[in-house]
């Protein structure tokens, strides 16, 4: 077992223990969902090996409860002294615990820090339009950030801050176990894939994170500054949706 796999197993067990799961069944139940179903109330679609499915996903209520427990842990986090002392509130993530797609952003801005919801400011409104153009609703997907606290002045997250939040976003992905993770911008892509390659070079390629397929695209804030790049993001969305069996 690699150190990364060992960390994933430890985090999964911690999430389950925090959600009150004291015993694990021998095998996870698996079901199927229709290709067009953007949440997985009936279970995952696709043909990954059974071992890839987290035991928590056998029951959707378990996932919601595991996320609630983790959210409470995040709310009490003071690991980044500067962020913890300047935040209004933590911004955990929102959407369906059974989402097939997670959109992964950088960090809360002023609007998110005030509301506690990810992607509600101008960039968030653009993300909502992108999601809806993919024939999805915000509540069908799950939206989260690398950092759960706003960096002062919206500066880039520091490596130590990403490291402090790593356990949180990895556990969110572990609980939700989405089929697809769409990294929005370089900060999210670098944090998840542990690479330093420029975002332009990470686009149009498939990566994996545990059982999830990962695709990278530009951040909506970048699109607000460079509207011409919307065409490339749309190409990336078409690639992801086509892989899900949805032609846009
Ligand atoms: N930018 C992000 O990366 N995340 C948000 O929640 C808002 C803006």
């Amino acid at each position: 077992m690699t150190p990364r796999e060992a960390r994933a197993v430890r985090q999964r067990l911690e999430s389950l223990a925090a959600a009150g799961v004291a015993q694990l069944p021998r095998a996870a139940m698996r079901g199927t969902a229709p290709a067009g179903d953007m949440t997985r109330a009936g279970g995952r679609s696709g043909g990954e090996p059974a071992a890839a499915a987290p035991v928590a996903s056998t029951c959707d209520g378990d996932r919601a409860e595991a996320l609630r427990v983790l959210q409470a842990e995040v709310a009490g986090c003071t690991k980044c002294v500067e962020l913890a002392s300047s935040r209004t509130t933590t911004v955990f993530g929102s959407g369906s615990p059974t989402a097939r797609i997670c959109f992964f952003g950088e960090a809360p801005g002023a609007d998110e820090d005030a509301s506690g919801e990810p992607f509600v400011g101008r960039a968030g409104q653009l993300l909502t339009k992108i999601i809806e153009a993919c024939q999805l609703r915000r509540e069908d997907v799950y939206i989260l950030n690398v950092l759960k606290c706003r960096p002062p002045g919206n500066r880039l997250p520091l490596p130590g801050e990403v490291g402090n939040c790593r356990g949180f976003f990895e556990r969110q992905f572990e609980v939700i176990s989405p089929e697809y993770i769409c990294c929005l911008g370089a900060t999210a892509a670098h944090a998840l894939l542990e690479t330093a390659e420029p975002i332009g070079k990470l686009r149009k390629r498939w990566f994996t994170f545990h059982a999830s397929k990962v695709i990278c695209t530009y951040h909506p804030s970048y699109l607000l500054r460079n509207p011409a790049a919307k065409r490339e993001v749309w190409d990336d969305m078409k690639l992801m949706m086509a892989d899900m069996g949805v032609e846009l």
Side-chain angles (χ1 to χ4, degrees):
M1 186 183 291
T2 66
R4 190 174 182 166
E5 286 166 342
R7 189 171 65 199
V9 169
R10 182 172 38 77
Q11 287 171 354
R12 182 181 300 183
L13 292 172
E14 282 171 7
S15 291
L16 290 168
V21 176
Q23 285 188 325
L24 299 178
R26 274 177 188 276
M29 285 191 311
R30 293 175 62 74
T32 55
D37 186 352
M38 293 308 160
T39 62
R40 288 164 294 127
R44 297 176 61 88
S45 65
E48 304 88 6
V55 176
S57 71
T58 58
C59 171
D60 300 338
D62 284 352
R63 289 192 205 198
E65 179 57 16
L67 289 175
R68 270 194 293 275
V69 170
L70 188 52
Q71 183 166 9
E73 205 182 308
V74 166
C77 179
T78 55
K79 278 190 224 166
C80 306
V81 176
E82 186 191 16
L83 304 194
S85 59
S86 59
R87 73 186 177 214
T88 307
T89 185
T90 52
V91 180
F92 180 67
S94 69
S96 168
T98 62
R100 294 178 69 189
I101 307 175
C102 283
F103 286 92
F104 190 38
E106 180 176 305
D111 294 310
E112 293 77 21
D113 174 69
S115 67
E117 286 287 312
F119 280 99
V120 291
R122 279 184 70 222
Q125 286 158 24
L126 182 51
L127 177 61
T128 303
K129 281 191 187 163
I130 294 169
I131 290 168
E132 289 173 352
C134 292
Q135 302 173 10
L136 302 168
R137 298 170 304 172
R138 257 181 89 109
E139 57 267 37
D140 294 329
V141 303
Y142 194 89
I143 303 174
L144 71 163
N145 286 307
V146 175
L147 293 196
K148 310 307 180 195
C149 298
R150 180 190 183 201
N154 296 345
R155 64 159 169 73
L156 282 175
L158 302 173
E161 293 166 348
V162 174
N164 286 341
C165 261
R166 175 168 299 283
F168 293 140
F169 67 72
E170 287 194 351
R171 279 157 69 189
Q172 284 175 291
F173 289 131
E174 196 65 30
V175 170
I176 300 165
S177 190
E179 286 169 58
Y180 296 88
I181 298 173
C182 177
C183 293
L184 302 168
T187 299
H190 293 171
L192 191 72
L193 302 174
E194 300 189 89
T195 177
E197 271 195 89
I199 186 69
K201 290 224 156 51
L202 296 169
R203 290 184 54 245
K204 300 192 270 186
R205 289 159 63 185
W206 288 106
F207 300 90
T208 56
F209 182 79
H210 300 290
S212 306
K213 291 184 177 183
V214 179
I215 197 160
C216 303
T217 194
Y218 295 123
H219 193 283
S221 299
Y222 175 75
L223 298 185
L224 292 173
R225 298 190 302 272
N226 300 279
K230 284 181 186 173
R231 175 181 290 274
E232 283 147 288
V233 170
W234 185 235
D235 287 342
D236 297 335
M237 294 303 102
K238 284 199 286 193
L239 183 64
M240 178 173 71
M241 297 307 292
D243 199 74
M244 297 179 81
V246 178
E247 294 300 328
L248 296 176

